[in-house]
Amino acid sequence: MSRTFDEASAQAMYASSEPVQDEERAAPEEGLEHVTGVTRVASGQGHGQFWFQVASPVVDLNSVVLASIAQLVSGIPDTGTARMQISNVVPRNGGVFFLLNIDSPFDVAFRIGFRVE
């Protein structure tokens, strides 16, 4: 049985925050005009291991979601002290869950770029 994004989010262990909306379309990639997917970005902050959920109308259960994470320093992607990784990506109807690992004793700002095919 497949669950909706709202049903899944009610049962997930995630950071104490509300789901975020995807912020904007990312800049078009040069030379990739033939790719049919949609690129989005979402940002937040946290530390440790936690689920980060993003509501996005372009995602459904059949979506393929590719993602990367970058630390934000003064609001822009930069090298920082925290080791960061995305351990799992779970598409749902109306959104996507990312299981994040941020190796830091305090909250770190991050941005996730994700492509939905």
Side-chain angles (χ1 to χ4, degrees):
M1 180 175 117
S2 59
R3 297 181 291 170
T4 67
F5 180 72
D6 291 332
E7 290 168 338
S9 66
Q11 295 179 356
M13 293 175 51
Y14 54 90
S16 57
S17 65
E18 293 298 313
V20 298
Q21 287 294 118
D22 53 6
E23 295 173 2
E24 60 188 63
R25 287 182 174 265
E29 298 100 0
E30 249 183 79
L32 295 179
E33 292 82 12
H34 63 283
V35 177
T36 60
V38 177
T39 303
R40 301 286 191 182
V41 295
S43 57
Q45 61 181 10
H47 70 281
Q49 183 178 53
F50 60 96
W51 286 100
F52 183 72
Q53 51 185 324
V54 179
S56 179
V58 300
V59 180
D60 65 31
L61 289 172
N62 297 312
S63 296
V64 173
V65 180
L66 308 171
S68 65
I69 188 169
Q71 186 168 345
L72 297 177
V73 178
S74 299
I76 59 170
D78 202 349
T79 56
T81 59
R83 182 177 53 196
M84 307 171 91
Q85 72 183 60
I86 300 172
S87 297
N88 202 345
V89 179
V90 183
R92 295 285 183 213
N93 291 327
V96 59
F97 287 91
F98 299 100
L99 180 58
L100 305 181
N101 289 291
I102 299 178
D103 188 14
S104 174
F106 52 86
D107 282 354
V108 173
F110 61 85
R111 181 177 76 187
I112 296 175
F114 63 100
R115 183 157 189 90
V116 181
E117 297 286 334

Coordinates of all heavy atoms in Angstrom, one line a residue, residues 17-100:
S17 N 10.8 20.5 12.5 CA 10.5 21.6 11.7 C 9.4 21.1 10.8 O 9.1 20.0 10.6 CB 11.7 22.0 10.8 OG 12.0 20.9 9.9
E18 N 8.7 22.1 10.2 CA 7.6 21.8 9.3 C 8.2 21.5 7.9 O 9.3 21.9 7.6 CB 6.7 23.0 9.2 CG 5.9 23.3 10.4 CD 5.0 22.1 10.8 OE1 4.3 21.6 10.0 OE2 5.0 21.8 12.0
P19 N 7.5 20.7 7.1 CA 8.0 20.5 5.7 C 8.2 21.9 5.0 O 7.5 22.8 5.2 CB 6.9 19.8 5.0 CG 6.0 19.2 6.1 CD 6.2 20.1 7.3
V20 N 9.3 21.9 4.3 CA 9.6 23.2 3.5 C 9.1 23.0 2.1 O 9.1 21.9 1.6 CB 11.1 23.5 3.6 CG1 11.5 23.8 5.0 CG2 11.9 22.5 2.9
Q21 N 8.8 24.1 1.5 CA 8.4 24.0 0.1 C 9.7 24.1 -0.7 O 10.7 24.7 -0.3 CB 7.6 25.3 -0.3 CG 6.2 25.2 0.2 CD 5.4 24.1 -0.5 OE1 4.9 23.2 0.2 NE2 5.2 24.1 -1.8
D22 N 9.7 23.5 -1.9 CA 10.9 23.7 -2.8 C 11.0 25.2 -3.1 O 9.9 25.8 -3.3 CB 10.9 22.8 -4.0 CG 9.6 22.9 -4.8 OD1 8.8 23.8 -4.5 OD2 9.5 22.2 -5.8
E23 N 12.1 25.8 -3.0 CA 12.3 27.2 -3.1 C 12.1 27.8 -4.5 O 11.5 28.8 -4.7 CB 13.6 27.6 -2.5 CG 13.7 27.3 -1.0 CD 15.1 27.5 -0.5 OE1 16.0 28.0 -1.2 OE2 15.3 27.3 0.7
E24 N 12.8 27.2 -5.4 CA 12.8 27.8 -6.7 C 13.4 26.8 -7.7 O 14.1 25.9 -7.3 CB 13.7 29.1 -6.7 CG 15.1 28.8 -6.3 CD 15.9 30.0 -6.1 OE1 15.6 30.8 -5.2 OE2 16.9 30.2 -6.9
R25 N 13.2 27.0 -8.9 CA 13.9 26.3 -10.0 C 15.4 26.7 -9.9 O 15.7 27.9 -9.8 CB 13.4 26.5 -11.3 CG 12.0 25.9 -11.6 CD 11.6 26.2 -13.0 NE 10.4 25.5 -13.3 CZ 10.3 24.3 -13.9 NH1 11.4 23.7 -14.3 NH2 9.2 23.7 -14.2
A26 N 16.3 25.8 -10.0 CA 17.7 26.1 -10.1 C 18.0 26.7 -11.5 O 17.2 26.5 -12.4 CB 18.5 24.9 -9.8
A27 N 19.1 27.3 -11.6 CA 19.5 27.9 -12.9 C 19.6 26.8 -13.9 O 20.0 25.7 -13.6 CB 20.9 28.6 -12.8
P28 N 19.2 27.0 -15.2 CA 19.3 26.0 -16.2 C 20.8 25.6 -16.4 O 21.7 26.4 -16.4 CB 18.8 26.7 -17.5 CG 18.4 28.1 -17.1 CD 18.8 28.3 -15.7
E29 N 20.9 24.3 -16.6 CA 22.3 23.7 -16.9 C 22.6 23.9 -18.3 O 21.9 23.4 -19.2 CB 22.4 22.3 -16.4 CG 22.1 22.1 -15.0 CD 20.7 21.6 -14.7 OE1 19.9 21.4 -15.7 OE2 20.3 21.4 -13.5
E30 N 23.8 24.4 -18.6 CA 24.2 24.6 -20.0 C 24.5 23.2 -20.6 O 25.1 22.4 -19.9 CB 25.4 25.5 -20.1 CG 25.1 26.8 -20.7 CD 26.4 27.6 -20.8 OE1 27.2 27.4 -21.7 OE2 26.5 28.5 -20.0
G31 N 24.1 23.0 -21.8 CA 24.4 21.7 -22.5 C 23.5 20.6 -22.1 O 23.6 19.5 -22.6
L32 N 22.5 20.8 -21.2 CA 21.6 19.7 -20.8 C 20.2 20.0 -21.2 O 19.3 19.5 -20.6 CB 21.7 19.5 -19.3 CG 23.0 19.0 -18.7 CD1 23.0 18.9 -17.2 CD2 23.4 17.7 -19.3
E33 N 20.0 20.7 -22.3 CA 18.7 21.1 -22.7 C 17.8 19.9 -23.0 O 16.6 19.9 -23.0 CB 18.7 22.0 -23.9 CG 19.3 23.4 -23.6 CD 20.8 23.4 -23.6 OE1 21.5 22.4 -24.0 OE2 21.4 24.4 -23.1
H34 N 18.4 18.7 -23.4 CA 17.7 17.5 -23.7 C 17.2 16.8 -22.5 O 16.3 15.9 -22.6 CB 18.5 16.6 -24.6 CG 19.7 16.1 -23.9 ND1 20.9 16.9 -23.7 CD2 20.0 14.9 -23.3 CE1 21.8 16.2 -23.0 NE2 21.3 15.0 -22.8
V35 N 17.6 17.1 -21.3 CA 17.2 16.4 -20.1 C 15.8 16.9 -19.8 O 15.5 18.1 -19.8 CB 18.2 16.6 -18.9 CG1 17.7 16.0 -17.7 CG2 19.5 16.1 -19.3
T36 N 14.9 16.0 -19.4 CA 13.5 16.4 -19.2 C 13.1 16.7 -17.8 O 12.0 17.1 -17.6 CB 12.6 15.3 -19.8 OG1 12.8 14.1 -19.0 CG2 12.8 15.1 -21.3
G37 N 13.9 16.5 -16.8 CA 13.5 16.6 -15.4 C 13.4 18.1 -15.0 O 13.6 19.0 -15.7
V38 N 13.1 18.2 -13.7 CA 13.0 19.5 -13.1 C 14.0 19.6 -11.9 O 14.1 18.7 -11.1 CB 11.5 19.7 -12.5 CG1 11.4 21.0 -11.8 CG2 10.5 19.6 -13.6
T39 N 14.7 20.7 -11.8 CA 15.7 20.9 -10.8 C 15.2 21.9 -9.8 O 14.6 22.9 -10.1 CB 17.1 21.4 -11.3 OG1 17.5 20.4 -12.3 CG2 18.1 21.5 -10.2
R40 N 15.3 21.5 -8.5 CA 14.8 22.4 -7.4 C 15.8 22.5 -6.3 O 16.8 21.7 -6.3 CB 13.5 21.7 -6.7 CG 12.4 21.5 -7.7 CD 11.7 22.8 -8.0 NE 10.4 22.5 -8.7 CZ 9.6 23.4 -9.1 NH1 9.9 24.7 -8.9 NH2 8.5 23.1 -9.7
V41 N 15.7 23.5 -5.4 CA 16.5 23.6 -4.3 C 15.7 23.8 -3.0 O 14.6 24.4 -3.1 CB 17.6 24.8 -4.4 CG1 18.5 24.5 -5.5 CG2 16.9 26.1 -4.6
A42 N 16.2 23.4 -1.9 CA 15.5 23.6 -0.6 C 16.6 23.8 0.4 O 17.7 23.2 0.3 CB 14.6 22.5 -0.2
S43 N 16.4 24.6 1.4 CA 17.4 24.8 2.4 C 16.9 24.7 3.8 O 15.7 24.8 4.0 CB 18.1 26.2 2.3 OG 17.2 27.2 2.3
G44 N 17.8 24.4 4.8 CA 17.3 24.3 6.2 C 18.6 24.3 7.1 O 19.7 24.7 6.6
Q45 N 18.4 23.8 8.3 CA 19.5 23.7 9.2 C 19.3 22.5 10.1 O 18.1 22.2 10.4 CB 19.8 25.0 9.9 CG 18.7 25.5 10.8 CD 19.1 26.8 11.5 OE1 20.1 27.4 11.2 NE2 18.3 27.1 12.5
G46 N 20.4 21.9 10.6 CA 20.2 20.8 11.6 C 21.6 20.2 11.8 O 22.6 20.6 11.3
H47 N 21.6 19.2 12.6 CA 22.8 18.4 12.9 C 22.4 17.0 13.3 O 21.2 16.7 13.7 CB 23.7 19.1 14.0 CG 23.1 19.1 15.3 ND1 22.1 19.9 15.7 CD2 23.4 18.3 16.4 CE1 21.8 19.7 17.0 NE2 22.6 18.7 17.4
G48 N 23.3 16.1 13.3 CA 23.0 14.7 13.6 C 22.4 14.0 12.4 O 22.5 14.4 11.3
Q49 N 21.7 12.9 12.7 CA 20.9 12.2 11.6 C 19.4 12.5 11.8 O 18.9 12.4 12.9 CB 21.1 10.7 11.7 CG 20.4 9.9 10.6 CD 20.7 8.5 10.7 OE1 20.5 7.8 11.7 NE2 21.2 7.9 9.6
F50 N 18.8 13.0 10.7 CA 17.4 13.3 10.8 C 16.8 13.3 9.4 O 17.5 13.3 8.4 CB 17.2 14.7 11.4 CG 17.9 15.8 10.6 CD1 17.2 16.6 9.7 CD2 19.2 16.1 10.9 CE1 17.8 17.6 9.0 CE2 19.9 17.1 10.2 CZ 19.2 17.9 9.3
W51 N 15.4 13.2 9.3 CA 14.7 13.2 8.1 C 14.4 14.7 7.8 O 13.9 15.4 8.7 CB 13.4 12.4 8.2 CG 13.6 11.0 8.1 CD1 13.6 10.1 9.2 CD2 13.8 10.2 7.0 NE1 13.8 8.8 8.8 CE2 13.9 8.8 7.4 CE3 13.9 10.5 5.6 CZ2 14.2 7.8 6.5 CZ3 14.1 9.4 4.7 CH2 14.2 8.1 5.2
F52 N 14.6 15.1 6.6 CA 14.3 16.5 6.1 C 13.3 16.3 5.0 O 13.5 15.6 4.0 CB 15.5 17.2 5.7 CG 15.3 18.6 5.2 CD1 15.1 19.6 6.2 CD2 15.4 18.9 3.9 CE1 14.9 20.9 5.8 CE2 15.2 20.3 3.5 CZ 14.9 21.2 4.4
Q53 N 12.1 16.9 5.2 CA 11.0 16.7 4.2 C 10.8 18.0 3.4 O 10.9 19.1 3.9 CB 9.8 16.2 4.8 CG 9.3 17.1 6.0 CD 8.1 16.5 6.7 OE1 7.2 15.9 6.0 NE2 8.0 16.6 8.0
V54 N 10.6 17.8 2.1 CA 10.3 18.9 1.2 C 9.1 18.6 0.4 O 8.9 17.6 -0.2 CB 11.5 19.1 0.2 CG1 11.2 20.3 -0.7 CG2 12.8 19.3 0.9
A55 N 8.1 19.5 0.5 CA 6.9 19.4 -0.2 C 7.1 20.0 -1.6 O 7.7 21.1 -1.8 CB 5.7 20.2 0.5
S56 N 6.8 19.2 -2.6 CA 7.0 19.6 -4.0 C 5.9 19.0 -4.9 O 5.9 17.7 -5.0 CB 8.4 19.2 -4.5 OG 8.6 19.7 -5.8
P57 N 5.2 19.8 -5.6 CA 4.1 19.2 -6.5 C 4.6 18.4 -7.7 O 3.9 17.7 -8.3 CB 3.3 20.4 -6.9 CG 4.3 21.5 -6.9 CD 5.2 21.2 -5.7
V58 N 5.9 18.5 -8.0 CA 6.5 17.8 -9.1 C 6.9 16.4 -8.8 O 7.3 15.6 -9.7 CB 7.6 18.6 -9.8 CG1 7.2 19.9 -10.3 CG2 8.8 18.7 -8.8
V59 N 6.8 16.0 -7.5 CA 7.3 14.7 -7.1 C 6.1 13.7 -6.8 O 5.1 14.1 -6.3 CB 8.1 14.8 -5.8 CG1 8.6 13.4 -5.3 CG2 9.3 15.7 -5.9
D60 N 6.2 12.5 -7.3 CA 5.2 11.5 -7.0 C 6.0 10.2 -6.7 O 7.2 10.1 -6.7 CB 4.2 11.3 -8.1 CG 4.7 10.8 -9.4 OD1 5.7 10.0 -9.4 OD2 4.1 11.2 -10.4
L61 N 5.2 9.1 -6.4 CA 5.8 7.8 -6.0 C 6.7 7.2 -7.1 O 7.6 6.4 -6.8 CB 4.7 6.8 -5.6 CG 4.0 7.1 -4.3 CD1 2.8 6.1 -4.2 CD2 5.0 7.0 -3.2
N62 N 6.5 7.6 -8.3 CA 7.2 7.0 -9.4 C 8.4 7.9 -9.8 O 9.1 7.6 -10.8 CB 6.3 6.8 -10.6 CG 5.2 5.8 -10.3 OD1 5.5 4.7 -9.8 ND2 4.0 6.1 -10.6
S63 N 8.6 9.0 -9.1 CA 9.7 9.9 -9.5 C 11.1 9.3 -9.1 O 11.2 8.5 -8.2 CB 9.6 11.2 -8.7 OG 8.4 11.9 -9.0
V64 N 12.1 9.6 -9.9 CA 13.5 9.4 -9.6 C 14.0 10.7 -9.2 O 13.9 11.7 -9.9 CB 14.2 8.9 -10.9 CG1 15.7 8.7 -10.6 CG2 13.6 7.5 -11.3
V65 N 14.6 10.7 -8.0 CA 15.1 12.0 -7.4 C 16.6 11.8 -7.1 O 17.0 10.9 -6.4 CB 14.4 12.3 -6.1 CG1 14.9 13.6 -5.5 CG2 12.9 12.4 -6.3
L66 N 17.4 12.7 -7.7 CA 18.8 12.8 -7.5 C 19.1 14.0 -6.7 O 18.5 15.1 -7.0 CB 19.5 12.9 -8.9 CG 19.1 11.8 -9.9 CD1 19.8 12.1 -11.3 CD2 19.6 10.4 -9.4
A67 N 20.0 13.9 -5.7 CA 20.2 15.0 -4.8 C 21.6 15.2 -4.4 O 22.4 14.2 -4.4 CB 19.3 14.8 -3.6
S68 N 21.9 16.4 -4.0 CA 23.2 16.7 -3.4 C 23.0 17.7 -2.3 O 22.0 18.4 -2.2 CB 24.2 17.3 -4.5 OG 23.7 18.6 -4.9
I69 N 24.0 17.8 -1.4 CA 23.9 18.7 -0.2 C 25.1 19.5 -0.2 O 26.2 19.0 -0.5 CB 23.6 17.9 1.1 CG1 23.3 18.8 2.2 CG2 24.8 17.0 1.4 CD1 22.8 18.1 3.5
A70 N 25.0 20.8 0.2 CA 26.1 21.7 0.4 C 25.9 22.5 1.7 O 24.8 22.9 2.0 CB 26.2 22.6 -0.8
Q71 N 27.0 22.7 2.4 CA 26.9 23.6 3.6 C 26.8 25.0 3.1 O 27.5 25.4 2.1 CB 28.2 23.4 4.4 CG 28.1 24.1 5.8 CD 29.1 23.7 6.7 OE1 29.8 22.7 6.6 NE2 29.3 24.5 7.8
L72 N 26.0 25.8 3.8 CA 25.9 27.2 3.5 C 26.7 28.0 4.6 O 26.5 27.8 5.8 CB 24.4 27.7 3.6 CG 23.5 27.1 2.5 CD1 22.1 27.6 2.7 CD2 24.0 27.4 1.1
V73 N 27.6 28.9 4.1 CA 28.4 29.8 4.9 C 28.0 31.2 4.5 O 28.2 31.5 3.3 CB 29.9 29.5 4.8 CG1 30.7 30.5 5.7 CG2 30.2 28.0 5.2
S74 N 27.4 32.0 5.4 CA 27.0 33.3 5.1 C 26.0 33.3 3.9 O 26.0 34.2 3.1 CB 28.1 34.2 4.8 OG 29.0 34.3 5.9
G75 N 25.2 32.2 3.9 CA 24.1 32.1 2.9 C 24.5 31.6 1.5 O 23.6 31.5 0.6
I76 N 25.8 31.3 1.3 CA 26.2 30.7 0.0 C 26.9 29.4 0.2 O 27.5 29.2 1.3 CB 27.1 31.7 -0.7 CG1 28.4 32.0 0.1 CG2 26.4 33.0 -1.1 CD1 29.4 32.8 -0.7
P77 N 26.8 28.5 -0.8 CA 27.5 27.2 -0.6 C 29.0 27.4 -0.5 O 29.6 28.2 -1.3 CB 27.2 26.5 -1.9 CG 26.0 27.1 -2.5 CD 26.1 28.6 -2.0
D78 N 29.6 26.8 0.5 CA 31.0 26.9 0.7 C 31.5 25.7 1.5 O 30.8 25.0 2.0 CB 31.3 28.2 1.5 CG 32.7 28.7 1.3 OD1 33.6 28.0 0.8 OD2 33.0 29.9 1.7
T79 N 32.9 25.6 1.6 CA 33.4 24.6 2.4 C 33.2 25.0 3.9 O 33.3 26.1 4.2 CB 34.9 24.3 2.1 OG1 35.6 25.6 2.3 CG2 35.1 23.8 0.7
G80 N 32.9 24.0 4.7 CA 32.7 24.3 6.1 C 33.4 23.2 6.9 O 34.0 22.3 6.4
T81 N 33.1 23.2 8.2 CA 33.7 22.2 9.1 C 32.9 20.9 9.2 O 33.4 19.9 9.6 CB 33.9 22.7 10.5 OG1 32.6 23.1 11.0 CG2 34.8 24.0 10.4
A82 N 31.6 20.9 8.8 CA 30.8 19.7 8.9 C 30.9 18.8 7.7 O 30.9 19.2 6.6 CB 29.3 20.2 9.1
R83 N 30.9 17.5 8.1 CA 30.8 16.4 7.0 C 29.3 16.2 6.8 O 28.6 16.0 7.8 CB 31.5 15.2 7.4 CG 31.5 14.1 6.4 CD 32.2 12.9 6.8 NE 31.8 12.5 8.1 CZ 32.4 11.6 8.9 NH1 33.6 11.2 8.6 NH2 31.9 11.3 10.1
M84 N 28.8 16.3 5.6 CA 27.4 16.2 5.3 C 27.2 15.1 4.3 O 27.9 15.0 3.3 CB 26.9 17.5 4.8 CG 27.2 18.6 5.7 SD 26.8 20.2 5.0 CE 25.2 20.4 5.7
Q85 N 26.0 14.4 4.4 CA 25.7 13.4 3.4 C 24.2 13.2 3.4 O 23.5 13.4 4.4 CB 26.4 12.1 3.6 CG 25.9 11.3 4.8 CD 26.7 10.0 5.0 OE1 27.9 10.1 5.2 NE2 26.0 8.9 5.0
I86 N 23.7 12.7 2.3 CA 22.3 12.3 2.1 C 22.4 10.8 2.1 O 23.0 10.2 1.2 CB 21.7 12.9 0.8 CG1 21.7 14.4 0.8 CG2 20.3 12.3 0.7 CD1 21.2 15.0 -0.5
S87 N 21.7 10.1 3.1 CA 21.8 8.7 3.2 C 20.6 8.0 2.5 O 20.8 6.8 2.1 CB 21.8 8.3 4.7 OG 22.9 8.8 5.3
N88 N 19.5 8.7 2.3 CA 18.4 8.0 1.7 C 17.5 9.1 1.1 O 17.4 10.2 1.6 CB 17.6 7.3 2.8 CG 16.7 6.2 2.2 OD1 16.5 6.1 1.0 ND2 16.2 5.3 3.0
V89 N 16.8 8.8 0.0 CA 15.9 9.7 -0.7 C 14.6 8.9 -0.9 O 14.7 7.9 -1.6 CB 16.5 10.2 -2.0 CG1 15.5 11.1 -2.7 CG2 17.8 10.9 -1.8
V90 N 13.5 9.4 -0.4 CA 12.2 8.7 -0.5 C 11.2 9.6 -1.1 O 10.6 10.5 -0.5 CB 11.8 8.2 0.9 CG1 10.5 7.4 0.7 CG2 12.8 7.4 1.6
P91 N 10.9 9.4 -2.4 CA 9.8 10.2 -3.1 C 8.4 9.7 -2.6 O 8.2 8.5 -2.4 CB 10.0 9.9 -4.6 CG 10.7 8.6 -4.7 CD 11.5 8.5 -3.4
R92 N 7.6 10.7 -2.4 CA 6.2 10.4 -2.1 C 5.3 11.3 -3.0 O 5.8 12.3 -3.6 CB 5.9 10.8 -0.6 CG 6.6 9.9 0.4 CD 5.9 8.6 0.5 NE 6.6 7.8 1.5 CZ 6.7 6.5 1.4 NH1 6.2 5.9 0.3 NH2 7.3 5.8 2.3
N93 N 4.0 11.0 -3.0 CA 3.1 11.9 -3.8 C 3.1 13.3 -3.1 O 2.7 13.4 -2.0 CB 1.7 11.3 -3.8 CG 1.7 10.1 -4.7 OD1 2.4 10.0 -5.7 ND2 0.8 9.1 -4.4
G94 N 3.6 14.3 -3.8 CA 3.6 15.7 -3.2 C 4.8 16.1 -2.5 O 4.8 17.1 -1.9
G95 N 5.8 15.2 -2.5 CA 7.0 15.6 -1.7 C 8.1 14.5 -1.7 O 7.9 13.5 -2.3
V96 N 9.2 14.8 -1.0 CA 10.3 13.9 -0.9 C 10.9 14.0 0.5 O 10.9 15.1 1.1 CB 11.3 14.1 -2.0 CG1 11.9 15.5 -1.9 CG2 12.4 13.1 -2.0
F97 N 11.3 12.9 1.0 CA 12.1 12.8 2.3 C 13.5 12.6 2.0 O 13.9 11.7 1.2 CB 11.5 11.6 3.2 CG 10.2 11.9 3.8 CD1 9.1 11.5 3.1 CD2 10.1 12.5 5.0 CE1 7.8 11.6 3.7 CE2 8.9 12.6 5.6 CZ 7.7 12.2 4.9
F98 N 14.4 13.3 2.7 CA 15.8 13.1 2.6 C 16.3 12.7 4.0 O 16.1 13.4 5.0 CB 16.6 14.3 2.2 CG 16.2 14.9 0.9 CD1 15.3 15.9 0.7 CD2 16.7 14.3 -0.3 CE1 14.9 16.4 -0.5 CE2 16.4 14.8 -1.5 CZ 15.5 15.8 -1.7
L99 N 17.0 11.6 4.2 CA 17.6 11.2 5.4 C 19.0 11.8 5.4 O 19.9 11.4 4.6 CB 17.7 9.7 5.6 CG 18.4 9.2 6.9 CD1 17.6 9.8 8.1 CD2 18.4 7.7 7.0
L100 N 19.3 12.8 6.3 CA 20.5 13.6 6.3 C 21.4 13.1 7.4 O 20.9 12.8 8.5 CB 20.2 15.1 6.3 CG 19.3 15.6 5.3 CD1 19.2 17.1 5.5 CD2 19.9 15.3 3.9

